[in-house]
Amino acid sequence: MSKGRFGVHGGQYITETLMNAIIELEEAYNHYKNDTQFQKELSELFQNYTGRPSRLYYAEHLTKKLGGAKIYLKREDLNHTGSHKINNVLGQTLLAKKMGKTRIIAETGAGQHGVATATAAALMGMECEVFMGKEDTERQALNVYKMRLLGAKVHPVTSGTATLKDAVSETMREWANRIDDTYYVLGSVMGPHPFPTIVRDFQSVISKEIKQQMLEKENRLPDVVLACVGGGSNAMGAFYHFIEDTSVKLIGCEAAGKGVHTAETAATIATGRLGIFHGMKSYFCQDNYGQIAPVYSISAGLDYPGIGPEHAWLYDTGRAEYVPITDEEAVEAFEYLSCVEGIIPALESAHAVAHAMKIAPNMDKNKIIVINLSGRGDKDCVSVAKYRGENINE
Ligand SMILES: *Cc1c(COP(=O)(O)O)cnc(C)c1O
């Protein structure tokens, strides 16, 4: 495959002004990814700050209740800051520091990536500015507060629909304006090359650990690996080291919102078409004119109108499968895992739990499913209560 391409997907569809920043990033990453000192520092951060390796937990009660395949949970929810996002953010902030940058910028949707970035900036003594759709700053006031508490500056973005896709565009513009001292910490396996590769590499620690832990516990590979897909970073991380192991089925769970036959959905593979946006070629939810469509999911972390190019390629080649999961199914899984295992999953991760609930009962007891539990669900309790018609104080 040519550089930065995954089949026809990926590439670098960017303005001339961004090209210098991208070339500098690519050269730096190519150097540091093979630098033993860099890898040593990152693995120390993972261990001492994040709390890696994250547990691979045998969900015995869930397994028995569903009555089929044996289910393990990869506990990314136990990471510092509560999700897988910190893996990528620590990697990129360390890279920024090595490149001599003093200021990091990031986009954020619900605020999870913004909070993780502000955290890494506080830890490593960098200046941090986060771009967030104005709409989102109002819906996610608590995360705005956390970012400020951590020392970051939050810029509300008012262009377009004032949501995540506009925040990404605005952060790219800001980067192009000031590349000398600034590094753009992109939050998922998307955007122009080399971002999809960089983010995947930093998240791939997840599948590296799953493989090791599974061999220790079961002395074999799992049969299925499940993960939710927004842009696709936790899923790429959970899939990556299994891509060559063709006996392992890889399944990405997209947010169907109110259903793939409604306009209120974010299921890119189920409803999207090939297009170019945010510097990459991939699948995107589009209207009849090819404009990026507004997307919806109850889970704020999954309502991105595209999917990372490597996923688009895994889909094209049939190596991975992508299934839509509705709000209702995700909420049921959120409640089910909470009472059956005493683990409140993020609503995003609940999409993957929901698919396990569908397939596990029909699988043999000697089969094994691993669910990547991308984050914890404390942040989602208010919206689930509201969905169920309960009014609780925030
Ligand atoms: C942001 C987020 C996601 C979605 O992002 P991906 O890049 O698709 O992983 C999933 N789960 C949690 C907990 C998140 O915070």
Side-chain angles (χ1 to χ4, degrees):
M1 254 181 296
S2 65
K3 191 183 71 144
R5 289 279 179 183
F6 303 97
V8 301
H9 306 285
Q12 297 178 316
Y13 298 86
I14 53 175
T15 57
E16 206 58 39
T17 48
L18 215 55
M19 207 58 208
N20 285 335
I22 285 285
I23 290 170
E24 188 192 358
L25 173 61
E26 201 176 341
E27 283 173 356
Y29 184 62
N30 282 339
H31 171 74
Y32 285 109
K33 76 176 178 198
N34 300 315
D35 182 72
T36 47
Q37 182 60 27
F38 179 86
Q39 293 300 339
K40 182 169 165 277
E41 283 176 45
L42 182 60
S43 101
E44 280 169 7
L45 282 171
F46 278 177
Q47 234 180 72
N48 302 329
Y49 193 69
T50 312
R52 305 207 69 88
S54 68
R55 314 252 154 80
L56 184 67
Y57 168 76
Y58 169 43
E60 190 178 352
H61 311 285
L62 183 65
T63 299
K64 291 200 169 135
K65 286 248 181 195
L66 295 174
K70 198 165 179 183
I71 302 173
Y72 282 88
L73 305 175
K74 179 61 172 165
R75 302 288 310 273
E76 292 299 302
D77 60 315
L78 296 178
N79 294 340
H80 177 48
T81 67
S83 82
H84 69 289
K85 290 220 164 71
I86 194 76
N87 304 328
N88 166 46
V89 162
L90 286 175
Q92 287 201 60
T93 308
L94 186 63
L95 179 62
K97 196 148 192 166
K98 298 277 177 193
M99 289 169 72
K101 307 292 179 185
T102 53
R103 174 178 178 255
I104 56 178
I105 56 173
E107 87 293 347
T108 198
Q112 298 301 109
H113 176 60
V115 170
T117 305
T119 300
L123 174 72
M124 297 191 216
M126 313 269 281
E127 220 182 302
C128 177
E129 294 183 33
V130 179
F131 294 80
M132 185 174 189
K134 184 156 190 301
E135 190 77 20
D136 292 327
T137 59
E138 285 158 15
R139 286 189 294 206
Q140 306 287 341
L142 181 60
N143 277 338
V144 174
Y145 174 77
K146 285 184 189 166
M147 287 183 261
R148 293 201 174 120
L149 179 65
L150 291 158
K153 201 163 167 186
V154 180
H155 300 282
V157 174
T158 52
S159 55
T161 51
T163 56
L164 174 60
K165 72 171 178 41
D166 310 295
V168 174
S169 307
E170 195 58 37
T171 319
M172 282 187 180
R173 263 193 294 275
E174 174 64 21
W175 195 31
N177 282 341
R178 192 170 153 184
I179 57 175
D180 291 357
D181 64 347
T182 300
Y183 181 103
Y184 178 8
V185 180
L186 217 154
S188 191
V189 285
M190 43 156 292
H193 174 73
F195 282 113
T197 302
I198 292 179
V199 179
R200 177 257 276 154
D201 286 351
F202 290 140
Q203 292 294 359
S204 71
V205 66
I206 301 173
S207 50
K208 193 173 162 202
E209 288 175 6
I210 296 175
K211 203 169 199 174
Q212 229 165 22
Q213 291 165 321
M214 188 51 62
L215 289 172
E216 278 161 24
K217 285 173 195 289
E218 298 277 354
N219 202 23
R220 70 178 190 87
L221 296 180
D223 299 285
V224 177
V225 177
L226 288 177
C228 65
V229 180
S233 69
N234 87 88
M236 255 345 288
F239 292 174
Y240 186 65
H241 287 282
F242 293 111
I243 292 176
E244 307 280 302
D245 303 308
T246 51
S247 70
V248 183
K249 217 168 159 175
L250 308 173
I251 306 178
C253 304
E254 298 191 304
K258 297 191 176 158
V260 293
H261 301 296
T262 72
E264 289 169 287
T265 182
T268 308
I269 293 290
T271 69
R273 281 177 290 135
L274 190 65
I276 293 170
F277 189 54
H278 285 157
M280 62 177 164
K281 186 180 271 186
S282 189
Y283 293 112
F284 297 94
C285 299
Q286 302 169 43
D287 67 15
N288 291 338
Y289 304 98
Q291 296 293 321
I292 297 302
V295 288
Y296 163 82
S297 161
I298 190 175
S299 136
L302 300 184
D303 64 357
Y304 179 68
I307 189 168
E310 194 164 7
H311 283 292
W313 174 71
L314 290 175
Y315 169 72
D316 284 353
T317 57
R319 179 61 192 94
E321 192 187 320
Y322 295 83
V323 296
I325 301 291
T326 63
D327 285 358
E328 178 62 27
E329 291 169 326
V331 167
E332 276 167 21
F334 178 90
E335 294 165 337
Y336 194 72
L337 191 69
S338 298
C339 33
V340 170
E341 285 297 339
I343 295 170
I344 306 174
L347 261 178
E348 291 87 0
S349 328
H351 286 71
V353 177
H355 195 61
M357 288 164 64
K358 289 185 187 178
I359 63 172
N362 305 318
M363 289 170 68
D364 221 69
K365 282 193 164 63
N366 62 14
K367 298 285 185 190
I368 299 172
I369 297 176
V370 175
I371 304 172
N372 192 38
L373 212 71
S374 56
R376 65 171 188 237
D378 314 44
K379 67 183 178 58
D380 297 310
C381 291
V382 171
S383 44
V384 172
K386 193 169 159 206
Y387 180 86
R388 289 301 191 206
E390 279 179 60
N391 225 332
I392 57 172
N393 287 330
E394 279 183 56

